[in-house]
Amino acid sequence: MTPTTETTVGIGGAAESTDMVLNIGPQHPSTHGVLRLKLVLDGERIVHAEPVIGYMHRGAEKLFEARDYRQIIVLANRHDWLSAFSNELGVVLAVERMLGMEVPERAVWTRTLLAELNRVLNHLMFLGSYPLELGGITPVFYAFREREVLQNVMEEVSGGRMHYMFNRVGGLKEDLPAGWTARAREAVAAVRSRMDVFDDLVLGNEIFRGRTRGVGALAPETVHAYGVSGPIARGSGVDFDLRRDEPYLAYGNLQDVLKVATRGEGDCLARFEILLDQTHNALDLADACLDRLAELPPGPINQRLPKVLKAPEGHTYAWTENPLGINGYYLVSKGEKTPYRLKLRSASYNNIQALTELLPGTLVADMVAILGSMFFVVGDIDK
């Protein structure tokens, strides 16, 4: 790496001993979420950073307690609006575990397929928007082109573009439309054929590499201390993925296709590379699920449920490998039709706390590059 030289010009009389407090945000209310960073600066260098959250808090965990087990899905899929299907999944898995319910095989494989398509949609958003934050406008147009291809098949099967509401306790809302698997396979192939755009246009760009390589290195010790997970943790060499290490859905049968990518550098570039590797692998997993669905005989896609669904008294914890990291759902039931308590552990909440360790010592000019590489959704922080 080329050594850098810092030159300070025109320091006033009292500036050498004066710290400046700078608020980054809260931004305009029409942005995709409101996060505030309170920075203490010594010149151009950050000496202290504090994420200030809560501007979007909607009290989802409290609202869970006043909704029955069918209704809470609509709340659960909204905190990370880029991963709505995966959010629904964690809730229904927790309820099904409480009920001791076995889900039909077709539902298991279809859920796995849709979860991986949702993963690609999530990652494409960040693959396009992260270069945009560093001044490169072109990649976001390619990212949205590929997202539209996949959004079309997700919308056809579920009826929703962002909040799919396709999961149900016991399976899925309804069976797949006629010919949908063929259209989904075509969409996956079309997206895969154009993914080299990100390899060439973004990773091959020397300005992008210069802004991200060696910047914002996150140590594995910090990952463990703050409970960081997902692509950010794997970018720091923490080799943990629930799909491989504690398989759920059909992932136990996909171990030969599932590849967990890791990097040792822990910098912004490593996190972006992990995201790109995971997108390639999610497309492979989607193809494997489509192959398996083609082999399965016709059958039910869900379980018949009673008119009033009550979970037995007790508690359970379900966790899933969401696109942004580990989502956990701690469900407590008193035997009623509503949860007594449903605690949500969202990936972005833990991931963003690591900024207090990551930003001090870095330059203000690198702050946007570091913040963008944390790949968070503000609603996933505030819940």
Side-chain angles (χ1 to χ4, degrees), residues 126 130 231-232 271-272 275 324 348 371-377:
F126 291 108
Y130 184 47
I232 300 169
R271 291 190 278 273
F272 186 86
L275 214 63
L324 298 181
S348 298
L371 186 62
S373 74
M374 298 306 282
F375 307 131
F376 62 92
V377 170

Side-chain angles (χ1 to χ4, degrees), residues 203-235:
L203 286 181
N205 186 290
E206 60 183 68
I207 298 175
F208 179 83
R209 299 185 77 87
R211 290 291 307 275
T212 55
R213 185 192 285 128
V215 175
L218 183 65
E221 297 78 21
T222 307
V223 169
H224 293 301
Y226 283 85
V228 175
S229 60
I232 300 169
R234 290 190 282 275

Side-chain angles (χ1 to χ4, degrees), residues 23 25-26 33-37 51-58 378 382:
N23 280 293
V34 183
L35 173 71
R36 175 182 165 209
L37 286 179
V52 182
I53 65 173
Y55 291 93
M56 284 192 65
H57 181 62
R58 292 168 290 182
V378 181
D382 289 343

Side-chain angles (χ1 to χ4, degrees), residues 352-370:
I352 211 68
Q353 306 308 316
L355 288 171
T356 58
E357 301 281 347
L358 200 52
L359 288 177
T362 63
L363 298 171
V364 174
D366 290 329
M367 184 273 300
V368 173
I370 296 169

Side-chain angles (χ1 to χ4, degrees), residues 14-85:
E16 293 179 9
S17 58
T18 303
D19 288 335
M20 180 171 71
V21 178
L22 179 66
N23 280 293
I24 306 296
Q27 281 85 18
H28 192 277
S30 69
T31 56
H32 70 85
V34 183
L35 173 71
R36 175 182 165 209
L37 286 179
K38 184 179 177 182
L39 307 179
V40 179
L41 307 180
D42 179 9
E44 285 291 305
R45 196 167 291 280
I46 299 169
V47 296
H48 178 74
E50 178 190 352
V52 182
I53 65 173
Y55 291 93
M56 284 192 65
H57 181 62
R58 292 168 290 182
E61 291 179 346
K62 194 64 184 173
L63 291 172
F64 286 148
E65 299 170 16
R67 306 290 190 277
D68 68 33
Y69 287 107
R70 293 180 174 90
Q71 295 169 330
I72 59 175
I73 300 171
V74 77
L75 292 170
N77 75 8
R78 276 164 165 72
H79 58 90
D80 174 3
W81 44 77
L82 294 179
S83 311
F85 186 87

Side-chain angles (χ1 to χ4, degrees), residues 1 17 43 45 65 76 80 82-83 105 135 168 176 194 218 233 240 252 291 313 317 329 345 349 368 374:
M1 186 175 175
S17 58
R45 196 167 291 280
E65 299 170 16
D80 174 3
L82 294 179
S83 311
E105 189 177 10
R168 295 291 187 273
L176 304 174
R194 297 191 289 255
L218 183 65
F240 183 68
D291 291 341
E313 188 169 348
Y317 182 75
Y329 302 85
R345 188 263 192 220
Y349 178 82
V368 173
M374 298 306 282

